[in-house]
Amino acid sequence: MYAITGITGKVGGTLAKTLLAANQPVRAVVRDAAKGQAWAKLGCEVALAEMNDATSLAAAFKGAEAVFILPPSEFDPTPGFPEALSVINAVKTAIESARPGKVVCLSTIGAQATQSNLLTQRTLMEQAFAGLPMPVTFLRPGWFMENAIWDVGPARNGVIPSFLQPLDKPVPMVATADVGRVAAELLQQHWHGARVVELDGPRRVSPNDIAACFAKILGHPVHAEAVPRETWGALFRSQGTKDPIPRIQMLDGFNEGWIKFEGSDAEVIKGRVDLETVLRGLVAAG
């Protein structure tokens, strides 16, 4: 039995469907019983649990051969990341209680970075789970291509604002479909101890590449435009962010190059889904 958290999202959903297609038993771990009904119809067991509730999580993980952990992301964290730590502590307690055979956690590119930033939430998770008594894999994907959903509207008007800079700098980007597929493969593998698996897309992608791809899809010129860094704080606050510093530090990490893959290029797994496929899906959807 494979217990899957985050199953209602793109990554968790792809992961679960990949396992089901391989005739593997899946337990959908959901917060809302109504959201579990669709997975029950597909043949999944359904377990109700909150990600910060160790007791309900332990019950959901009990008897599982493997567990997939997809912690919720806090995009406007309180200093010290207490929201993330609450989930991390609950999940760790639940895993130690339920003792599944193995664990795969969705982490992030740059989880090894020592500079504090928005992705430090995943760094804290890796540090807490590295000593678990069963085999653990930390899957570190690049920037999600699907983040370009915010660019669909601007692209229709010919200009996409970019916080990734310079505009011609290629960034590791991967489709969520590849993340879910690779996670399903990892869950079915056998290994010992804690390991890190890094996942990139078929090729690196720059903001200019995204603009050119939108232009191809939409049939009119589209160009990327750098958002001046000195405006980021006020802009993010105007959008409702209480503390923009973690997000700014994350973007600095990508732009300055210290949020990166830890392994060599030869060690990083390459995905199959290209940028155009993802962007065509986003454009069609909205």
Side-chain angles (χ1 to χ4, degrees):
M1 178 62 67
Y2 295 89
I4 310 300
T5 65
I7 198 169
T8 58
K10 292 182 180 296
V11 171
T14 298
L15 163 56
K17 289 175 181 177
T18 302
L19 290 173
L20 290 170
N23 296 314
Q24 297 297 329
V26 173
R27 181 180 297 152
V29 182
V30 296
R31 297 172 55 191
D32 184 349
K35 291 186 176 180
Q37 291 178 359
W39 291 102
K41 291 178 181 178
L42 293 176
C44 296
E45 286 187 13
V46 176
L48 297 179
E50 296 281 350
M51 290 299 289
N52 59 359
D53 181 354
T55 301
S56 62
L57 285 173
F61 298 161
K62 187 174 178 59
E65 174 185 349
V67 170
F68 178 69
I69 302 299
L70 197 166
S73 295
E74 177 57 57
F75 295 103
D76 190 12
T78 304
F81 306 101
E83 301 90 350
L85 289 171
S86 174
V87 170
I88 290 167
N89 292 335
V91 171
K92 182 180 180 183
T93 298
I95 290 173
E96 290 173 335
S97 174
R99 292 296 179 107
K102 51 193 169 182
V103 178
V104 172
C105 303
L106 184 64
S107 186
T108 179
I109 183 174
Q112 78 282 1
T114 58
Q115 299 95 320
S116 181
N117 69 94
L118 194 62
L119 304 182
T120 298
Q121 297 171 77
R122 299 296 180 260
T123 305
L124 295 171
M125 179 190 70
E126 289 196 14
Q127 292 171 347
F129 294 175
L132 286 171
M134 67 285 295
V136 179
T137 293
F138 299 112
L139 175 57
R140 295 181 182 174
W143 183 283
F144 285 176
M145 293 180 187
E146 282 79 1
N147 288 334
I149 190 171
W150 306 108
D151 298 325
V152 173
R156 295 187 190 279
N157 294 322
V159 181
I160 57 173
S162 179
F163 298 98
L164 294 175
Q165 302 166 15
L167 299 177
D168 60 354
K169 179 183 178 180
V171 174
M173 293 193 187
V174 63
T176 54
D178 276 327
V179 181
R181 175 185 57 81
V182 170
E185 294 172 358
L186 296 174
L187 278 170
Q188 297 175 84
Q189 293 176 359
H190 298 282
W191 72 96
H192 299 283
R195 64 174 179 172
V196 169
V197 175
E198 297 181 307
L199 175 62
D200 199 352
R203 68 181 184 89
R204 303 286 167 90
V205 176
S206 72
N208 285 340
D209 292 330
I210 295 173
C213 193
F214 271 124
K216 178 180 179 181
I217 295 167
L218 296 171
H220 63 70
V222 179
H223 72 272
E225 188 172 274
V227 180
R229 189 188 181 284
E230 62 269 18
T231 69
W232 292 0
L235 176 60
F236 296 157
R237 286 191 180 92
S238 73
Q239 295 170 343
T241 301
K242 295 178 182 178
D243 181 7
I245 292 176
R247 183 179 176 188
I248 291 173
Q249 290 170 325
M250 177 192 71
L251 292 167
D252 284 344
F254 278 100
N255 295 342
E256 295 170 5
W258 50 266
I259 290 183
K260 60 183 179 178
F261 288 126
E262 189 172 22
S264 67
D265 288 345
E267 295 172 312
V268 176
I269 297 174
K270 298 293 184 181
R272 303 170 184 170
V273 182
D274 62 15
L275 178 68
E276 183 175 344
T277 298
V278 171
L279 295 192
R280 285 191 179 278
L282 296 178
V283 169

